[in-house]
Amino acid sequence: MAERKQSIHGQWSSRLAFIMAATGSAVGLGNIWKFPYIAGENGGGAFVLFYLLCIVLIGVPIMMAEVMLGRRGRQSPINTMRELAHEESRHGFWQIVGWGGVLAGFLILSYYSVIAGWALAYVLKAFSGAFTGIGGEQSKALFGGFTNDAYAVGFWHTVFMIITMVVVARGVRHGLEKAVRYLMPALLILLLVLVGYAMSTDGFVTGLKFLFAPDFSKLSGDAMLEAMGHAFFTLSLGMGAIMIYGSYLPKNVSIAKTTFYVAGADTLVALLAGMAIFPLVFTYGLESSAGPSLIFQTLPIAFGNIPGGVFLAGLFFILLVFAAWTSSISLIEPAVAWLVENRGMKRITASLWAGVVTWLLGFATVFSFNIWSDVKPLSGLATFEKSTLFDLLDYLTANIMLPLGGFLIAIFAGWLMTRKSSKEELKIKFPYGYPVWLFLVRFIAPGAVIAVFIVKTGLWTWAKNIF
Ligand code: PFF
């Protein structure tokens, strides 16, 4: 290809900078807020095992593919896909991966920002001592009282959107690298403290069993789709976020190694969050299937009962906001980069536009927990009977759009790019590394996505009955 050594948006200063930024994108609300609550809703162990399988067999090879495509294209995902399709003499259709990603980014950030706003509000609550000595019922009431207040939730969503767009406007590389380097390890240490507290509770063993002992009778088609969708969500895959971070990656960096680090760190954080939360759920008689409120109900109890809890709680929610922040930036970066490349906008104008659209969309989620909590647009369909606008947005993006985007990326990287191109770009040094990657990305990852869709839609049961 015409050698394009650098993206017009700049480049990471080192391999570590990329690892930090990609980990910043991957580790977020998905690990600490979403993973525990969906594991709880889907019965624990078997779901967790299936999720881990998806990370290894689908997530890791697709992450390598995304980074590779990004680095080869060196532009926003839309333009990268157009250019690479052209280079490999393929149809311009493949740009759809970029467009789908931009749309998914807007939709995800719209609700992501609202939940991050909850975490912001909880920073203040924590420092005000609201959790001191708190029990299960009070914690539930505290959360319910807060989310019922549309003004409060809308306000914190607004604050979060502003801080996100400020960083995006300045360019993602300024400041982000350094901040992630210190705050990520701090988050890890605090999670370990929480797991330490969980160990001291009566429900520790029950919690661990719930999380790790698989009961496969609980693994429904719905649970499998949720687990697979979450593997994409948690690793920021299927929408171009990792692709655009790949486009800022220097040429000589090993893609395989960096991918292992990022996926490993992401998985570790999710499992630690689960280990901190489920023992509390069982000790304090909370519901494991409480849904999106789960961590906001359980963690205050832990902090309310440990020495230095006021400070630690405040710090924890600050770090959670930070983790969400570094993820949000990557959700909107593909859209902003495209506006800069194709519409000739300045970064700041592009960020403003993208930010305002997302902010407005976010009110669908803000209201889903209060004044629109009874709005269930698809209540006629069994799967969505109880789904609010927030639930639908989450389902559409995480369970459908990201796996579809990932599927197309796998097909493009595995089947349509020549082996020469992918081999040259990946430069995998492990023995058999390249053929194993190619096998996973050609057959296993796309096959698994299709298989899960088939099981979920009930086609499998239907086919079994016929034959
Ligand atoms: N990976 C992020 C999390 O787990 O919180 C969420 C996310 C970020 C999803 C970026 C998708 C994305 F492109």
Side-chain angles (χ1 to χ4, degrees), residues 333-398:
E333 179 69 11
V336 170
W338 181 81
L339 288 172
V340 171
E341 285 166 13
N342 291 49
R343 290 278 166 265
M345 282 188 194
K346 289 210 188 86
R347 258 198 97 84
I348 189 159
T349 326
S351 308
L352 198 68
W353 276 108
V356 167
V357 171
T358 321
W359 174 72
L360 286 174
L361 266 173
F363 283 89
T365 297
V366 169
F367 297 148
S368 289
F369 293 89
N370 37 67
I371 53 179
W372 289 353
S373 61
D374 289 330
V375 176
K376 315 255 157 88
L378 298 184
S379 57
L381 303 171
T383 314
F384 303 113
E385 208 183 341
K386 297 193 187 114
S387 304
T388 58
L389 283 169
F390 157 72
D391 295 324
L392 292 175
L393 274 173
D394 175 39
Y395 194 95
L396 172 70
T397 50

Coordinates of all heavy atoms in Angstrom, one line a residue, residues 333-398:
E333 N -14.5 8.7 19.8 CA -13.3 9.1 18.9 C -13.5 8.7 17.4 O -13.2 9.5 16.6 CB -12.1 8.4 19.5 CG -10.8 8.7 18.8 CD -10.3 10.1 18.8 OE1 -10.8 10.9 19.6 OE2 -9.4 10.5 18.1
P334 N -14.1 7.6 17.1 CA -14.3 7.3 15.7 C -15.1 8.3 15.0 O -14.8 8.7 13.8 CB -15.0 5.9 15.7 CG -14.6 5.3 16.9 CD -14.5 6.4 17.9
A335 N -16.2 8.8 15.6 CA -17.0 9.8 15.0 C -16.3 11.1 14.8 O -16.3 11.8 13.8 CB -18.3 10.0 15.8
V336 N -15.6 11.5 15.9 CA -14.9 12.8 15.8 C -13.8 12.8 14.8 O -13.6 13.7 14.0 CB -14.3 13.2 17.2 CG1 -13.4 14.3 17.2 CG2 -15.5 13.4 18.2
A337 N -13.0 11.7 14.7 CA -12.0 11.6 13.7 C -12.6 11.7 12.3 O -12.0 12.3 11.4 CB -11.2 10.3 13.9
W338 N -13.7 11.1 12.1 CA -14.3 11.1 10.8 C -14.8 12.5 10.4 O -14.5 13.0 9.3 CB -15.5 10.2 10.7 CG -16.2 10.2 9.4 CD1 -15.7 9.5 8.2 CD2 -17.3 11.0 8.9 NE1 -16.5 9.8 7.2 CE2 -17.5 10.7 7.6 CE3 -18.2 11.8 9.6 CZ2 -18.6 11.3 6.8 CZ3 -19.2 12.4 8.9 CH2 -19.4 12.1 7.5
L339 N -15.4 13.2 11.4 CA -15.8 14.6 11.2 C -14.6 15.5 10.8 O -14.7 16.4 9.9 CB -16.5 15.2 12.4 CG -17.9 14.6 12.7 CD1 -18.4 15.2 14.0 CD2 -18.9 15.0 11.6
V340 N -13.5 15.2 11.5 CA -12.3 16.0 11.2 C -11.7 15.7 9.8 O -11.4 16.5 9.0 CB -11.2 15.7 12.2 CG1 -9.8 16.4 11.8 CG2 -11.6 16.3 13.6
E341 N -11.7 14.4 9.5 CA -11.1 14.0 8.2 C -12.0 14.4 7.0 O -11.6 14.8 6.0 CB -11.0 12.4 8.1 CG -9.8 11.9 8.9 CD -9.8 10.4 9.2 OE1 -10.6 9.7 8.5 OE2 -9.1 10.0 10.0
N342 N -13.3 14.1 7.1 CA -14.2 14.3 6.0 C -15.0 15.6 5.9 O -15.5 15.9 4.9 CB -15.2 13.1 5.9 CG -14.5 11.8 5.5 OD1 -13.5 11.5 6.1 ND2 -15.0 11.1 4.5
R343 N -15.2 16.2 7.0 CA -16.0 17.4 7.0 C -15.1 18.6 7.3 O -15.6 19.7 7.4 CB -17.1 17.3 8.1 CG -18.2 16.4 7.8 CD -19.2 17.0 6.8 NE -20.1 16.0 6.3 CZ -19.9 15.4 5.1 NH1 -18.9 15.7 4.4 NH2 -20.8 14.5 4.7
G344 N -13.8 18.3 7.4 CA -12.9 19.4 7.6 C -13.1 20.2 8.8 O -12.7 21.4 8.9
M345 N -13.7 19.6 9.8 CA -14.0 20.4 11.0 C -12.8 20.4 11.9 O -11.9 19.6 11.8 CB -15.1 19.7 11.9 CG -16.5 19.9 11.4 SD -17.6 19.2 12.6 CE -19.1 19.1 11.6
K346 N -12.7 21.4 12.8 CA -11.7 21.4 13.8 C -12.1 20.4 14.8 O -13.3 20.2 15.0 CB -11.6 22.8 14.5 CG -11.1 23.9 13.6 CD -10.4 24.9 14.5 CE -10.0 26.1 13.8 NZ -11.0 27.1 13.7
R347 N -11.1 19.9 15.5 CA -11.4 18.9 16.6 C -12.4 19.4 17.6 O -13.4 18.7 18.0 CB -10.1 18.5 17.3 CG -9.6 17.2 16.9 CD -8.6 16.6 18.0 NE -9.3 15.7 18.8 CZ -9.4 14.4 18.5 NH1 -9.0 13.9 17.4 NH2 -10.1 13.6 19.4
I348 N -12.3 20.6 17.9 CA -13.1 21.2 19.0 C -14.6 21.3 18.5 O -15.5 20.9 19.2 CB -12.6 22.5 19.5 CG1 -13.3 23.0 20.7 CG2 -12.5 23.6 18.4 CD1 -12.6 24.0 21.5
T349 N -14.8 21.7 17.2 CA -16.1 21.8 16.7 C -16.7 20.4 16.6 O -17.9 20.1 16.9 CB -16.1 22.4 15.3 OG1 -15.1 23.4 15.2 CG2 -17.4 23.0 14.9
A350 N -15.9 19.4 16.0 CA -16.4 18.1 15.9 C -16.8 17.5 17.2 O -17.9 16.9 17.3 CB -15.3 17.2 15.3
S351 N -16.0 17.8 18.2 CA -16.3 17.2 19.6 C -17.6 17.8 20.1 O -18.5 17.1 20.7 CB -15.2 17.6 20.6 OG -14.0 17.2 20.1
L352 N -17.8 19.1 19.8 CA -19.0 19.8 20.3 C -20.3 19.2 19.7 O -21.2 18.8 20.4 CB -18.9 21.3 19.9 CG -19.9 22.2 20.7 CD1 -19.4 22.2 22.2 CD2 -19.8 23.6 20.2
W353 N -20.2 19.0 18.4 CA -21.4 18.4 17.7 C -21.7 17.0 18.2 O -22.8 16.7 18.6 CB -21.1 18.3 16.2 CG -21.4 19.6 15.5 CD1 -20.6 20.4 14.9 CD2 -22.7 20.1 15.3 NE1 -21.2 21.5 14.4 CE2 -22.6 21.3 14.6 CE3 -24.0 19.7 15.6 CZ2 -23.6 22.1 14.2 CZ3 -25.1 20.5 15.2 CH2 -24.9 21.7 14.5
A354 N -20.6 16.2 18.2 CA -20.8 14.8 18.7 C -21.3 14.7 20.1 O -22.2 14.0 20.5 CB -19.5 14.0 18.6
G355 N -20.8 15.6 20.9 CA -21.2 15.7 22.3 C -22.6 16.1 22.5 O -23.3 15.5 23.3
V356 N -23.0 17.1 21.8 CA -24.4 17.6 22.0 C -25.4 16.5 21.6 O -26.4 16.2 22.3 CB -24.6 18.9 21.2 CG1 -26.1 19.2 21.1 CG2 -23.9 20.0 21.8
V357 N -25.1 15.8 20.4 CA -26.1 14.7 20.0 C -26.1 13.6 21.0 O -27.2 13.2 21.4 CB -25.6 14.2 18.6 CG1 -26.4 12.9 18.2 CG2 -25.7 15.2 17.5
T358 N -25.0 13.2 21.5 CA -25.0 12.1 22.5 C -25.7 12.5 23.8 O -26.4 11.8 24.4 CB -23.5 11.7 22.9 OG1 -22.8 11.8 21.7 CG2 -23.5 10.4 23.5
W359 N -25.4 13.8 24.2 CA -26.0 14.3 25.5 C -27.5 14.2 25.4 O -28.2 13.8 26.3 CB -25.5 15.7 25.7 CG -26.1 16.4 26.8 CD1 -25.9 16.2 28.2 CD2 -27.1 17.5 26.8 NE1 -26.6 17.0 28.9 CE2 -27.4 17.9 28.1 CE3 -27.7 18.2 25.7 CZ2 -28.2 18.9 28.4 CZ3 -28.5 19.2 26.0 CH2 -28.8 19.6 27.4
L360 N -28.1 14.7 24.2 CA -29.5 14.7 24.1 C -30.1 13.3 24.1 O -31.0 13.0 24.8 CB -29.9 15.4 22.7 CG -29.8 16.9 22.8 CD1 -30.0 17.5 21.4 CD2 -30.8 17.5 23.8
L361 N -29.4 12.4 23.3 CA -29.9 11.0 23.3 C -29.9 10.4 24.7 O -30.7 9.6 25.1 CB -28.9 10.2 22.5 CG -29.1 9.9 21.0 CD1 -27.9 9.2 20.4 CD2 -30.4 9.0 20.9
G362 N -28.9 10.9 25.5 CA -28.8 10.3 26.9 C -30.1 10.5 27.7 O -30.3 9.7 28.7
F363 N -30.9 11.5 27.4 CA -32.1 11.7 28.2 C -33.1 10.5 28.1 O -33.9 10.3 29.1 CB -32.7 13.0 28.0 CG -31.9 14.1 28.7 CD1 -30.8 14.7 28.0 CD2 -32.2 14.4 30.0 CE1 -30.1 15.7 28.7 CE2 -31.4 15.4 30.7 CZ -30.3 16.0 30.0
A364 N -33.0 9.7 27.1 CA -33.8 8.5 27.0 C -33.5 7.6 28.2 O -34.4 7.0 28.8 CB -33.6 7.8 25.7
T365 N -32.2 7.5 28.5 CA -31.8 6.7 29.6 C -32.1 7.4 31.0 O -32.5 6.7 31.9 CB -30.3 6.3 29.5 OG1 -30.1 5.6 28.3 CG2 -29.8 5.5 30.7
V366 N -31.8 8.7 31.0 CA -32.0 9.4 32.3 C -33.5 9.1 32.7 O -33.8 8.7 33.8 CB -31.8 10.9 32.1 CG1 -32.4 11.7 33.3 CG2 -30.4 11.2 31.9
F367 N -34.4 9.2 31.8 CA -35.9 9.1 32.1 C -36.3 7.6 32.2 O -37.4 7.4 32.8 CB -36.7 9.8 31.0 CG -36.5 11.3 30.9 CD1 -36.6 12.0 29.7 CD2 -36.1 12.0 32.1 CE1 -36.4 13.3 29.6 CE2 -35.9 13.4 32.0 CZ -36.0 14.1 30.8
S368 N -35.5 6.7 31.7 CA -35.9 5.3 31.9 C -36.0 4.8 33.3 O -36.6 3.8 33.6 CB -34.9 4.4 31.2 OG -34.9 4.5 29.8
F369 N -35.3 5.6 34.2 CA -35.3 5.2 35.6 C -36.3 6.0 36.5 O -36.3 5.9 37.6 CB -33.9 5.3 36.2 CG -33.0 4.2 35.5 CD1 -32.3 4.5 34.4 CD2 -32.8 3.0 36.1 CE1 -31.5 3.6 33.8 CE2 -32.0 2.0 35.5 CZ -31.3 2.3 34.3
N370 N -37.0 6.9 35.8 CA -38.0 7.6 36.6 C -39.2 7.9 35.7 O -40.0 7.0 35.6 CB -37.3 8.9 37.1 CG -36.3 9.5 36.2 OD1 -36.7 10.0 35.1 ND2 -35.1 9.5 36.5
I371 N -39.3 9.1 35.1 CA -40.6 9.4 34.5 C -41.0 8.5 33.3 O -42.2 8.4 33.0 CB -40.7 10.9 34.1 CG1 -39.5 11.3 33.2 CG2 -40.8 11.8 35.3 CD1 -39.5 12.8 32.7
W372 N -40.1 7.9 32.7 CA -40.5 7.0 31.6 C -40.3 5.5 32.0 O -40.1 4.7 31.1 CB -39.6 7.3 30.4 CG -39.9 8.5 29.7 CD1 -41.0 9.4 29.9 CD2 -39.2 9.2 28.6 NE1 -41.0 10.5 29.1 CE2 -39.9 10.4 28.2 CE3 -38.1 8.8 27.8 CZ2 -39.5 11.2 27.2 CZ3 -37.7 9.6 26.8 CH2 -38.4 10.8 26.5
S373 N -40.2 5.2 33.3 CA -40.0 3.8 33.7 C -41.0 2.9 33.2 O -40.8 1.7 33.1 CB -39.8 3.7 35.2 OG -40.9 4.2 35.8
D374 N -42.2 3.4 32.9 CA -43.3 2.5 32.3 C -43.3 2.5 30.8 O -44.2 1.8 30.2 CB -44.6 3.0 32.8 CG -44.8 2.7 34.3 OD1 -44.1 1.7 34.8 OD2 -45.5 3.5 35.0
V375 N -42.4 3.3 30.2 CA -42.4 3.2 28.7 C -41.7 2.0 28.3 O -40.5 1.8 28.5 CB -41.7 4.5 28.2 CG1 -41.6 4.4 26.6 CG2 -42.5 5.8 28.6
K376 N -42.4 1.0 27.7 CA -41.8 -0.2 27.3 C -42.2 -0.4 25.8 O -43.2 -1.1 25.5 CB -42.4 -1.4 28.1 CG -42.4 -1.2 29.6 CD -41.3 -1.9 30.3 CE -41.0 -1.3 31.7 NZ -41.8 -1.7 32.8
P377 N -41.5 0.2 24.9 CA -41.9 0.3 23.5 C -42.1 -1.1 22.8 O -42.9 -1.2 21.9 CB -40.8 1.0 22.8 CG -40.0 1.7 23.9 CD -40.2 0.9 25.1
L378 N -41.4 -2.1 23.2 CA -41.6 -3.4 22.6 C -42.2 -4.4 23.5 O -41.9 -5.6 23.4 CB -40.2 -3.9 22.1 CG -39.4 -3.1 21.1 CD1 -38.2 -3.7 20.6 CD2 -40.3 -2.8 19.8
S379 N -43.1 -4.0 24.3 CA -43.7 -4.9 25.3 C -44.5 -6.0 24.7 O -44.8 -7.0 25.3 CB -44.6 -4.1 26.3 OG -45.6 -3.4 25.6
G380 N -44.8 -5.9 23.4 CA -45.6 -6.9 22.7 C -44.7 -8.2 22.4 O -45.2 -9.3 22.2
L381 N -43.4 -8.0 22.5 CA -42.5 -9.2 22.2 C -42.0 -9.8 23.5 O -41.6 -9.0 24.4 CB -41.3 -8.7 21.4 CG -41.5 -8.0 20.1 CD1 -40.3 -7.4 19.5 CD2 -42.1 -9.0 19.1
A382 N -42.1 -11.1 23.6 CA -41.8 -11.7 24.9 C -40.4 -11.3 25.5 O -40.3 -10.9 26.6 CB -41.8 -13.2 24.7
T383 N -39.4 -11.3 24.6 CA -38.0 -11.0 25.2 C -38.0 -9.6 25.7 O -37.2 -9.3 26.7 CB -37.0 -11.1 24.0 OG1 -37.2 -12.3 23.3 CG2 -35.6 -11.1 24.6
F384 N -38.7 -8.7 25.2 CA -38.6 -7.3 25.6 C -39.8 -6.8 26.4 O -40.0 -5.6 26.5 CB -38.4 -6.4 24.3 CG -37.2 -6.8 23.5 CD1 -37.4 -7.4 22.2 CD2 -36.0 -6.7 24.0 CE1 -36.3 -7.7 21.5 CE2 -34.9 -7.1 23.3 CZ -35.0 -7.6 22.0
E385 N -40.5 -7.7 26.9 CA -41.8 -7.4 27.6 C -41.5 -6.3 28.6 O -42.3 -5.3 28.8 CB -42.2 -8.6 28.3 CG -43.7 -8.7 28.5 CD -44.0 -10.0 29.3 OE1 -43.2 -10.9 29.3 OE2 -45.1 -10.0 29.9
K386 N -40.4 -6.4 29.4 CA -40.2 -5.5 30.5 C -39.1 -4.5 30.2 O -38.6 -3.8 31.1 CB -39.7 -6.3 31.7 CG -40.8 -7.2 32.2 CD -40.4 -7.7 33.6 CE -41.4 -8.8 34.1 NZ -40.7 -10.1 34.3
S387 N -38.7 -4.4 28.9 CA -37.6 -3.5 28.6 C -37.9 -2.0 28.5 O -38.7 -1.6 27.7 CB -36.9 -4.0 27.3 OG -36.6 -5.3 27.4
T388 N -37.2 -1.2 29.2 CA -37.3 0.2 29.1 C -36.4 0.7 27.9 O -35.7 -0.1 27.3 CB -36.7 0.9 30.4 OG1 -35.4 0.5 30.5 CG2 -37.5 0.5 31.6
L389 N -36.5 2.0 27.7 CA -35.6 2.5 26.6 C -34.1 2.2 26.8 O -33.4 1.8 25.9 CB -35.8 4.0 26.4 CG -37.1 4.4 25.8 CD1 -37.3 5.9 25.9 CD2 -37.1 4.0 24.3
F390 N -33.7 2.3 28.1 CA -32.3 2.0 28.4 C -32.0 0.5 28.1 O -31.0 0.2 27.5 CB -32.0 2.3 29.9 CG -30.9 1.5 30.4 CD1 -29.6 1.8 30.0 CD2 -31.1 0.4 31.3 CE1 -28.5 1.1 30.5 CE2 -30.0 -0.3 31.8 CZ -28.7 0.0 31.4
D391 N -32.9 -0.4 28.5 CA -32.7 -1.8 28.3 C -32.6 -2.1 26.8 O -31.7 -2.9 26.3 CB -33.9 -2.6 28.8 CG -34.0 -2.5 30.3 OD1 -32.9 -2.5 31.0 OD2 -35.1 -2.5 30.9
L392 N -33.4 -1.4 26.0 CA -33.4 -1.7 24.6 C -32.2 -1.2 23.9 O -31.6 -1.8 23.1 CB -34.7 -1.0 23.9 CG -36.0 -1.6 24.2 CD1 -37.1 -0.8 23.6 CD2 -36.1 -3.1 23.8
L393 N -31.7 0.0 24.4 CA -30.5 0.6 23.8 C -29.3 -0.4 24.1 O -28.5 -0.6 23.3 CB -30.2 1.9 24.5 CG -30.8 3.2 23.9 CD1 -30.6 4.4 24.7 CD2 -30.2 3.4 22.5
D394 N -29.3 -0.8 25.3 CA -28.2 -1.7 25.8 C -28.2 -3.0 25.0 O -27.2 -3.5 24.4 CB -28.4 -2.0 27.3 CG -27.4 -3.0 27.8 OD1 -26.2 -2.9 27.4 OD2 -27.8 -3.9 28.6
Y395 N -29.4 -3.6 24.8 CA -29.6 -4.8 24.1 C -29.1 -4.7 22.6 O -28.4 -5.4 22.0 CB -31.0 -5.3 24.1 CG -31.2 -6.7 23.7 CD1 -31.2 -7.7 24.7 CD2 -31.4 -7.1 22.4 CE1 -31.4 -9.1 24.3 CE2 -31.6 -8.4 22.0 CZ -31.6 -9.4 22.9 OH -31.8 -10.7 22.6
L396 N -29.7 -3.6 22.0 CA -29.4 -3.4 20.6 C -27.9 -3.2 20.3 O -27.3 -3.8 19.4 CB -30.1 -2.1 20.1 CG -29.8 -1.6 18.7 CD1 -30.4 -2.6 17.7 CD2 -30.3 -0.2 18.4
T397 N -27.2 -2.4 21.2 CA -25.8 -2.2 20.9 C -25.0 -3.4 21.3 O -24.3 -3.9 20.5 CB -25.4 -0.9 21.7 OG1 -25.8 -1.0 23.1 CG2 -25.9 0.3 21.1
A398 N -25.0 -3.8 22.6 CA -24.1 -4.8 23.1 C -24.4 -6.2 22.5 O -23.5 -6.9 22.2 CB -24.1 -4.8 24.6

